[in-house]
Amino acid sequence: MLLLPLLLPALSALASAVEVKRRGVSLTNHHFYEESKPFTCLDGSSTIAFEWVNDDYCDCQDGSDEPGTSACPNGRFHCTNAGYRPQYIPSSRVNDGVCDCCDATDEYNSGFVCENTCKEMGRKEREALAQMAEVAREGFQLKQVLIEEASKGREDKQRTLAELQEGKKSLEEQVETLRSVKEAAEKPEKEAKEIHQKKWEEQQAAEKAAREQARASEAFQELDDDGDGLVSVAELQTHVELDVDGDGTLSETEAQTLLGNALQADASSFRDAVWAAIKENYKPEGLPDAAPLPEALEPQPDLPLEQPAPEDDYDEEEEEEGDDDESNEEEPKVPPPKQPADKAAEEDEAEKMPPYDEETQALVDAAQKAREQFEEAEKSLKEMEDSIQSLEKEISFDFGPQGEFAYLYSQCYELSTTEYVYRLCPFNRVSQKPKKGGAETNLGTWGLWAGPDENKFSVMKYEHGTGCWQGPNRSTTVKLTCGKETTVTSTTEPSRCEYLMELVTPSACQEPRDPGATDHDEL
């Protein structure tokens, strides 16, 4: 009993020495550091005396003999961090005057006093984890709702698609029937229109021929100066505008040529042959060549400035003006000549085809009605085909193992930064637009799910966007994280023309783990 007080200090000192040798070693690796036997480097490269462990000299190539000192450049010091997460730090940070371990064990001999903050850090981390766990729990509940809605939505879309496909067959038959009705109605319409057109053209030709005959008769009467019923060479020569060779005179030979190599022409031959040769250049005798230009006013000499006249003079002038007004009222009013625009309008009206007769109009109305019915049915068929194509495209998308991402389809989410507005339309495209104006830039169109094998639906890839100047086409990687709401939280460009975007969505929430299965802190 007398020896016990003497042995306790010695045993305590021995235990303390062993703990010093194990400084920086994790509890799981304590069995490699036994004071009763030599130490073998953890890489198996050599075996040294246990006394050489943590002696501030590096003996092992892997630095495992100096976990508690900074002797080995590749050594690792283990922070126990009771109450928080254990961690490894490089041995070079041991006793460097900087607190790396929250339990302050890395600064045991630096003279620097570190506060043990592990409990506080552990409390904050547990609160954060609890908050994250609550978000994950609520997000997973929302995910279940989305899965249920997606399942119902898919069933509804498949049912709608089947109905549309069935209705398409009926509508196609209706379109073909209406096409036949339209073609049957258009045939008599076309024939009736052609008959109407032909009659009108014949009428126009007859009226034109009659006008030409009238002009020819008038010209004959004007040219037949002596009234003998014949137009002679001499009478034709009075119209020099008919000059053939451009010398300003109509020679006898030229006149005979215009008369059909004859000396004279009667009214019949004049209308049939001569008029056709001269009508382009012939000018009626009463038609002026050109409107006379107004004579230039002669410049008046400068008159001296008159002094204001007395009031009596003004009265006389007013009386004179009144007399002039009375005389002007007595002059007969001549109606204004017709303007060229009015004449042109009359000619256009005369050239306009008259309305269809009642029978033809009925055929036109029937054909038009058939066309409208056909076009309406054809339009309905096109809209139905577009709806079918849209539904088939949507149903073909991979919206996740249980369709949980289906609600993102046809939706868009924006993130505004200091310079740009980023827009993500899942399963469609990503774009970027400057806030201060400018064209929108395509950052990629939907490509595929690009997550790792164990979590394929955690990453979206959008490819083949607008090309960069002397660079590749833009592309965007979208990382999906768990959250109660759906929102774009960040956008960066880690590499040129390659964008990284984060989308928070309940669909990315996994089923919460069993609290009893969580890992325990190493104490």
Side-chain angles (χ1 to χ4, degrees):
M1 294 296 294
L2 294 175
L3 295 175
L4 185 58
L6 299 174
L7 290 173
L8 285 175
L11 292 173
S12 177
L14 180 60
S16 177
V18 172
E19 288 306 314
V20 169
K21 293 297 182 181
R22 287 177 174 173
R23 181 177 285 126
V25 178
S26 66
L27 289 175
T28 55
N29 285 343
H30 268 199
H31 63 281
F32 293 116
Y33 296 82
E34 295 287 343
E35 72 279 9
S36 59
K37 58 182 180 181
F39 173 75
T40 299
C41 302
L42 296 185
D43 63 356
S45 59
S46 61
T47 300
I48 60 174
F50 187 74
E51 289 78 9
W52 293 2
V53 174
N54 279 337
D55 64 348
D56 206 22
Y57 184 85
C58 192
D59 298 292
C60 296
Q61 294 180 1
D62 62 358
S64 58
D65 64 314
E66 298 296 322
T69 74
S70 58
C72 296
N74 57 342
R76 293 197 311 160
F77 182 88
H78 182 266
C79 306
T80 303
N81 292 344
Y84 188 56
R85 290 183 286 106
Q87 68 178 120
Y88 279 98
I89 63 171
S91 295
S92 58
R93 298 181 183 177
V94 174
N95 292 324
D96 63 351
V98 178
C99 301
D100 297 293
C101 301
C102 67
D103 61 3
T105 53
D106 59 313
E107 297 300 318
Y108 63 88
N109 196 31
S110 66
F112 190 82
V113 179
C114 293
E115 181 182 357
N116 189 328
T117 60
C118 288
K119 288 185 178 180
E120 180 63 18
M121 292 177 67
R123 182 186 66 79
K124 290 182 179 179
E125 184 179 63
R126 284 188 291 275
E127 289 178 355
L129 290 174
Q131 187 176 5
M132 291 174 59
E134 180 63 18
V135 170
R137 184 185 65 80
E138 294 181 12
F140 185 74
Q141 290 176 349
L142 292 173
K143 179 179 179 179
Q144 300 310 303
V145 175
L146 293 173
I147 290 173
E148 184 177 353
E149 290 178 351
S151 177
K152 292 180 180 179
R154 184 177 180 84
E155 291 175 0
D156 291 343
K157 289 180 176 63
Q158 288 176 332
R159 182 168 55 254
T160 302
L161 178 60
E163 292 173 355
L164 287 174
Q165 289 172 336
E166 186 65 27
K168 179 187 173 185
K169 297 177 183 177
S170 175
L171 193 53
E172 285 175 337
E173 294 175 358
Q174 182 181 353
V175 168
E176 290 307 313
T177 300
L178 291 174
R179 188 195 305 276
S180 300
V181 172
K182 178 181 76 75
E183 292 173 353
E186 285 177 338
K187 184 177 180 180
E189 177 201 34
K190 181 182 179 183
E191 293 173 353
K193 279 185 174 182
E194 289 175 350
I195 292 172
H196 181 83
Q197 176 84 13
K198 185 177 180 181
K199 285 182 178 179
W200 177 69
E201 290 175 352
E202 290 175 350
Q203 180 183 345
Q204 288 289 95
E207 290 176 356
K208 183 178 179 181
R211 288 195 298 270
E212 285 298 315
Q213 288 294 318
R215 287 182 62 199
S217 297
E218 290 176 4
F220 181 83
Q221 295 295 330
E222 289 179 356
L223 289 171
D224 184 13
D225 292 334
D226 56 9
D228 62 353
L230 297 171
V231 173
S232 65
V233 170
E235 289 171 333
L236 194 63
Q237 283 182 290
T238 61
H239 284 258
V240 295
E241 74 271 12
L242 302 177
D243 174 34
V244 176
D245 57 9
D247 62 355
T249 60
L250 182 63
S251 66
E252 184 177 342
T253 303
E254 290 173 335
Q256 287 183 4
T257 302
L258 293 175
L259 290 173
N261 295 320
L263 296 177
Q264 55 190 12
D266 58 13
S268 177
S269 60
F270 181 87
R271 286 192 302 268
D272 295 341
V274 178
W275 176 244
I278 69 171
K279 65 180 181 179
E280 297 298 332
N281 297 322
Y282 178 77
K283 294 180 181 179
E285 294 177 354
L287 187 66
D289 292 343
L293 295 174
E295 296 182 1
L297 296 176
E298 296 182 2
Q300 299 294 329
D302 295 336
L303 299 176
L305 295 175
E306 296 182 359
Q307 297 297 325
E311 294 182 1
D312 294 342
D313 295 337
Y314 282 116
D315 294 338
E316 293 177 1
E317 290 178 2
E318 290 174 0
E319 290 178 2
E320 292 175 359
E321 290 177 358
D323 295 340
D324 292 340
D325 293 340
E326 292 176 1
S327 62
N328 290 338
E329 290 177 0
E330 295 174 358
E331 294 179 2
K333 295 182 179 179
V334 180
K338 288 187 177 181
Q339 298 297 322
D342 297 337
K343 187 175 180 181
E346 289 181 2
E347 292 178 355
D348 291 341
E349 188 66 24
E351 292 292 329
K352 187 177 180 181
M353 187 169 64
Y356 296 121
D357 59 76
E358 186 176 344
E359 183 179 354
T360 302
Q361 187 62 50
L363 293 172
V364 171
D365 292 341
Q368 181 61 27
K369 183 178 180 181
R371 276 190 292 270
E372 291 174 355
Q373 291 176 340
F374 168 75
E375 290 169 0
E376 185 65 28
E378 196 173 41
K379 180 183 177 183
S380 299
L381 178 60
K382 179 65 170 61
E383 291 174 351
M384 183 176 289
E385 289 173 342
D386 291 343
S387 298
I388 290 173
Q389 184 179 1
S390 178
L391 280 173
E392 288 177 339
K393 179 182 179 182
E394 183 175 352
I395 292 173
S396 69
F397 271 109
D398 185 356
F399 291 129
Q402 297 175 288
E404 58 267 35
F405 297 101
Y407 82 100
L408 297 174
Y409 189 78
S410 298
Q411 301 295 320
C412 292
Y413 306 92
E414 291 185 350
L415 174 67
S416 181
T417 65
T418 55
E419 295 184 41
Y420 300 99
V421 175
Y422 292 91
R423 185 177 177 87
L424 168 64
C425 300
F427 306 104
N428 188 2
R429 66 196 296 266
V430 182
S431 62
Q432 166 192 275
K433 190 171 184 179
K435 276 189 170 181
K436 296 182 180 179
E440 186 179 73
T441 302
N442 183 3
L443 302 186
T445 54
W446 168 252
L448 70 164
W449 291 104
D453 293 340
E454 66 275 10
N455 194 9
K456 171 185 174 182
F457 299 98
S458 62
V459 178
M460 289 176 164
K461 190 69 176 179
Y462 294 80
E463 304 169 313
H464 309 300
T466 304
C468 285
W469 173 251
Q470 295 183 342
N473 287 355
R474 289 174 173 83
S475 62
T476 302
T477 299
V478 180
K479 290 187 176 181
L480 281 68
T481 57
C482 173
K484 294 187 292 183
E485 298 180 353
T486 304
T487 180
V488 177
T489 57
S490 67
T491 301
T492 57
E493 188 179 1
S495 300
R496 182 170 179 257
C497 306
E498 295 181 1
Y499 298 82
L500 179 62
M501 187 175 283
E502 183 175 357
L503 176 67
V504 175
T505 167
S507 298
C509 296
Q510 303 300 321
E511 185 174 5
R513 298 172 60 185
D514 182 1
T518 57
D519 297 333
H520 294 284
D521 293 339
E522 185 174 335
L523 303 178

